[in-house]
PDB file of all heavy atoms in Angstrom:
ATOM      1  N   GLY A1640     -10.333  24.485  17.764  1.00 91.00           N
ATOM      2  CA  GLY A1640     -10.467  25.320  16.412  1.00 91.00           C
ATOM      3  C   GLY A1640     -12.001  25.512  16.374  1.00 91.00           C
ATOM      4  O   GLY A1640     -12.779  25.433  17.267  1.00 91.00           O
ATOM      5  N   GLU A1641     -12.247  26.124  15.154  1.00 90.00           N
ATOM      6  CA  GLU A1641     -13.626  26.525  14.911  1.00 90.00           C
ATOM      7  C   GLU A1641     -14.653  25.364  14.734  1.00 90.00           C
ATOM      8  O   GLU A1641     -14.480  24.410  14.205  1.00 90.00           O
ATOM      9  CB  GLU A1641     -13.729  27.469  13.699  1.00 90.00           C
ATOM     10  CG  GLU A1641     -15.014  28.035  13.340  1.00 90.00           C
ATOM     11  CD  GLU A1641     -15.013  28.772  12.055  1.00 90.00           C
ATOM     12  OE1 GLU A1641     -13.983  28.776  11.306  1.00 90.00           O
ATOM     13  OE2 GLU A1641     -16.078  29.348  11.652  1.00 90.00           O
ATOM     14  N   PHE A1642     -15.846  25.580  15.489  1.00 93.00           N
ATOM     15  CA  PHE A1642     -16.885  24.615  15.257  1.00 93.00           C
ATOM     16  C   PHE A1642     -17.957  25.174  14.235  1.00 93.00           C
ATOM     17  O   PHE A1642     -18.576  26.167  14.521  1.00 93.00           O
ATOM     18  CB  PHE A1642     -17.754  24.522  16.628  1.00 93.00           C
ATOM     19  CG  PHE A1642     -18.749  23.319  16.773  1.00 93.00           C
ATOM     20  CD1 PHE A1642     -18.630  22.372  17.675  1.00 93.00           C
ATOM     21  CD2 PHE A1642     -19.806  23.358  15.946  1.00 93.00           C
ATOM     22  CE1 PHE A1642     -19.518  21.371  17.807  1.00 93.00           C
ATOM     23  CE2 PHE A1642     -20.761  22.354  15.992  1.00 93.00           C
ATOM     24  CZ  PHE A1642     -20.682  21.360  16.920  1.00 93.00           C
ATOM     25  N   PRO A1643     -17.956  24.508  13.012  1.00 94.00           N
ATOM     26  CA  PRO A1643     -18.825  25.153  12.079  1.00 94.00           C
ATOM     27  C   PRO A1643     -20.293  24.935  12.285  1.00 94.00           C
ATOM     28  O   PRO A1643     -20.648  24.066  13.040  1.00 94.00           O
ATOM     29  CB  PRO A1643     -18.442  24.369  10.759  1.00 94.00           C
ATOM     30  CG  PRO A1643     -18.000  23.053  11.334  1.00 94.00           C
ATOM     31  CD  PRO A1643     -17.348  23.316  12.634  1.00 94.00           C
ATOM     32  N   SER A1644     -21.086  25.806  11.574  1.00 93.00           N
ATOM     33  CA  SER A1644     -22.492  25.648  11.729  1.00 93.00           C
ATOM     34  C   SER A1644     -22.980  24.490  10.935  1.00 93.00           C
ATOM     35  O   SER A1644     -22.467  24.099   9.862  1.00 93.00           O
ATOM     36  CB  SER A1644     -23.191  26.921  11.104  1.00 93.00           C
ATOM     37  OG  SER A1644     -24.538  26.622  10.765  1.00 93.00           O
ATOM     38  N   GLU A1645     -24.091  23.711  11.414  1.00 90.00           N
ATOM     39  CA  GLU A1645     -24.535  22.632  10.704  1.00 90.00           C
ATOM     40  C   GLU A1645     -25.168  22.977   9.312  1.00 90.00           C
ATOM     41  O   GLU A1645     -25.496  22.176   8.493  1.00 90.00           O
ATOM     42  CB  GLU A1645     -25.420  21.805  11.511  1.00 90.00           C
ATOM     43  CG  GLU A1645     -26.832  22.504  11.908  1.00 90.00           C
ATOM     44  CD  GLU A1645     -27.614  21.593  12.801  1.00 90.00           C
ATOM     45  OE1 GLU A1645     -28.292  20.703  12.193  1.00 90.00           O
ATOM     46  OE2 GLU A1645     -27.651  21.920  13.976  1.00 90.00           O
ATOM     47  N   PHE A1646     -25.292  24.268   9.083  1.00 90.00           N
ATOM     48  CA  PHE A1646     -25.858  24.669   7.741  1.00 90.00           C
ATOM     49  C   PHE A1646     -24.796  24.947   6.735  1.00 90.00           C
ATOM     50  O   PHE A1646     -25.083  25.359   5.638  1.00 90.00           O
ATOM     51  CB  PHE A1646     -26.773  25.938   7.967  1.00 90.00           C
ATOM     52  CG  PHE A1646     -27.921  25.658   8.964  1.00 90.00           C
ATOM     53  CD1 PHE A1646     -27.954  26.170  10.220  1.00 90.00           C
ATOM     54  CD2 PHE A1646     -28.990  24.768   8.630  1.00 90.00           C
ATOM     55  CE1 PHE A1646     -28.911  25.860  11.149  1.00 90.00           C
ATOM     56  CE2 PHE A1646     -30.001  24.458   9.433  1.00 90.00           C
ATOM     57  CZ  PHE A1646     -30.032  25.060  10.692  1.00 90.00           C
ATOM     58  N   GLU A1647     -23.485  24.954   7.198  1.00 92.00           N
ATOM     59  CA  GLU A1647     -22.345  25.234   6.328  1.00 92.00           C
ATOM     60  C   GLU A1647     -22.008  23.951   5.489  1.00 92.00           C
ATOM     61  O   GLU A1647     -22.314  22.834   5.957  1.00 92.00           O
ATOM     62  CB  GLU A1647     -21.102  25.608   7.116  1.00 92.00           C
ATOM     63  CG  GLU A1647     -21.264  26.956   7.795  1.00 92.00           C
ATOM     64  CD  GLU A1647     -19.874  27.296   8.386  1.00 92.00           C
ATOM     65  OE1 GLU A1647     -18.805  27.339   7.698  1.00 92.00           O
ATOM     66  OE2 GLU A1647     -19.967  27.541   9.592  1.00 92.00           O
ATOM     67  N   GLU A1648     -21.521  24.094   4.233  1.00 90.00           N
ATOM     68  CA  GLU A1648     -21.356  23.078   3.390  1.00 90.00           C
ATOM     69  C   GLU A1648     -20.221  22.139   3.906  1.00 90.00           C
ATOM     70  O   GLU A1648     -20.333  20.981   3.741  1.00 90.00           O
ATOM     71  CB  GLU A1648     -20.926  23.583   2.021  1.00 90.00           C
ATOM     72  CG  GLU A1648     -20.743  22.609   0.805  1.00 90.00           C
ATOM     73  CD  GLU A1648     -20.473  23.210  -0.380  1.00 90.00           C
ATOM     74  OE1 GLU A1648     -21.033  24.283  -0.726  1.00 90.00           O
ATOM     75  OE2 GLU A1648     -19.697  22.538  -1.265  1.00 90.00           O
ATOM     76  N   ARG A1649     -19.335  22.717   4.684  1.00 92.00           N
ATOM     77  CA  ARG A1649     -18.149  21.929   5.245  1.00 92.00           C
ATOM     78  C   ARG A1649     -18.541  21.053   6.399  1.00 92.00           C
ATOM     79  O   ARG A1649     -17.696  20.358   6.926  1.00 92.00           O
ATOM     80  CB  ARG A1649     -16.986  22.808   5.701  1.00 92.00           C
ATOM     81  CG  ARG A1649     -17.333  23.806   6.593  1.00 92.00           C
ATOM     82  CD  ARG A1649     -16.145  24.756   6.781  1.00 92.00           C
ATOM     83  NE  ARG A1649     -16.387  25.854   7.641  1.00 92.00           N
ATOM     84  CZ  ARG A1649     -15.779  26.097   8.812  1.00 92.00           C
ATOM     85  NH1 ARG A1649     -14.760  25.270   9.122  1.00 92.00           N
ATOM     86  NH2 ARG A1649     -16.097  27.128   9.545  1.00 92.00           N
ATOM     87  N   PHE A1650     -19.907  21.218   6.937  1.00 95.00           N
ATOM     88  CA  PHE A1650     -20.206  20.533   8.164  1.00 95.00           C
ATOM     89  C   PHE A1650     -20.117  19.027   8.018  1.00 95.00           C
ATOM     90  O   PHE A1650     -19.708  18.249   8.973  1.00 95.00           O
ATOM     91  CB  PHE A1650     -21.566  20.990   8.655  1.00 95.00           C
ATOM     92  CG  PHE A1650     -21.868  20.484   9.950  1.00 95.00           C
ATOM     93  CD1 PHE A1650     -21.242  20.858  11.136  1.00 95.00           C
ATOM     94  CD2 PHE A1650     -23.007  19.618  10.187  1.00 95.00           C
ATOM     95  CE1 PHE A1650     -21.530  20.445  12.420  1.00 95.00           C
ATOM     96  CE2 PHE A1650     -23.362  19.290  11.473  1.00 95.00           C
ATOM     97  CZ  PHE A1650     -22.650  19.616  12.602  1.00 95.00           C
ATOM     98  N   ASP A1651     -20.556  18.400   6.853  1.00 94.00           N
ATOM     99  CA  ASP A1651     -20.530  17.042   6.659  1.00 94.00           C
ATOM    100  C   ASP A1651     -19.068  16.512   6.760  1.00 94.00           C
ATOM    101  O   ASP A1651     -18.839  15.507   7.319  1.00 94.00           O
ATOM    102  CB  ASP A1651     -21.129  16.772   5.358  1.00 94.00           C
ATOM    103  CG  ASP A1651     -22.749  16.600   5.448  1.00 94.00           C
ATOM    104  OD1 ASP A1651     -23.219  16.881   6.562  1.00 94.00           O
ATOM    105  OD2 ASP A1651     -23.343  16.326   4.410  1.00 94.00           O
ATOM    106  N   ASP A1652     -18.063  17.225   6.201  1.00 95.00           N
ATOM    107  CA  ASP A1652     -16.756  16.795   6.252  1.00 95.00           C
ATOM    108  C   ASP A1652     -16.269  16.839   7.669  1.00 95.00           C
ATOM    109  O   ASP A1652     -15.495  16.010   8.123  1.00 95.00           O
ATOM    110  CB  ASP A1652     -15.785  17.677   5.373  1.00 95.00           C
ATOM    111  CG  ASP A1652     -16.000  17.520   3.899  1.00 95.00           C
ATOM    112  OD1 ASP A1652     -16.366  16.325   3.619  1.00 95.00           O
ATOM    113  OD2 ASP A1652     -15.586  18.337   3.230  1.00 95.00           O
ATOM    114  N   TRP A1653     -16.645  17.877   8.494  1.00 96.00           N
ATOM    115  CA  TRP A1653     -16.352  17.973   9.865  1.00 96.00           C
ATOM    116  C   TRP A1653     -16.839  16.776  10.678  1.00 96.00           C
ATOM    117  O   TRP A1653     -16.161  16.205  11.474  1.00 96.00           O
ATOM    118  CB  TRP A1653     -16.934  19.243  10.437  1.00 96.00           C
ATOM    119  CG  TRP A1653     -16.385  19.681  11.672  1.00 96.00           C
ATOM    120  CD1 TRP A1653     -15.303  20.591  11.872  1.00 96.00           C
ATOM    121  CD2 TRP A1653     -16.774  19.481  13.058  1.00 96.00           C
ATOM    122  NE1 TRP A1653     -15.041  20.887  13.174  1.00 96.00           N
ATOM    123  CE2 TRP A1653     -16.042  20.204  13.904  1.00 96.00           C
ATOM    124  CE3 TRP A1653     -17.898  18.673  13.408  1.00 96.00           C
ATOM    125  CZ2 TRP A1653     -16.161  20.117  15.325  1.00 96.00           C
ATOM    126  CZ3 TRP A1653     -18.053  18.552  14.882  1.00 96.00           C
ATOM    127  CH2 TRP A1653     -17.331  19.306  15.784  1.00 96.00           C
ATOM    128  N   LEU A1654     -18.108  16.366  10.350  1.00 97.00           N
ATOM    129  CA  LEU A1654     -18.699  15.214  10.870  1.00 97.00           C
ATOM    130  C   LEU A1654     -17.993  13.914  10.548  1.00 97.00           C
ATOM    131  O   LEU A1654     -17.795  12.934  11.322  1.00 97.00           O
ATOM    132  CB  LEU A1654     -20.181  15.011  10.656  1.00 97.00           C
ATOM    133  CG  LEU A1654     -21.116  16.139  11.219  1.00 97.00           C
ATOM    134  CD1 LEU A1654     -22.706  15.924  10.729  1.00 97.00           C
ATOM    135  CD2 LEU A1654     -20.996  16.123  12.731  1.00 97.00           C
ATOM    136  N   SER A1655     -17.612  13.823   9.230  1.00 97.00           N
ATOM    137  CA  SER A1655     -16.753  12.618   8.846  1.00 97.00           C
ATOM    138  C   SER A1655     -15.542  12.566   9.634  1.00 97.00           C
ATOM    139  O   SER A1655     -15.148  11.335   9.982  1.00 97.00           O
ATOM    140  CB  SER A1655     -16.456  12.692   7.337  1.00 97.00           C
ATOM    141  OG  SER A1655     -17.605  12.614   6.556  1.00 97.00           O
TER     142      SER A1655
END
Side-chain angles (χ1 to χ4, degrees):
E1641 185 183 0
F1642 189 121
S1644 163
E1645 61 183 286
F1646 302 107
E1647 292 183 58
E1648 189 174 326
R1649 63 190 174 115
F1650 188 64
D1651 279 0
D1652 285 338
W1653 197 92
L1654 290 181
S1655 293

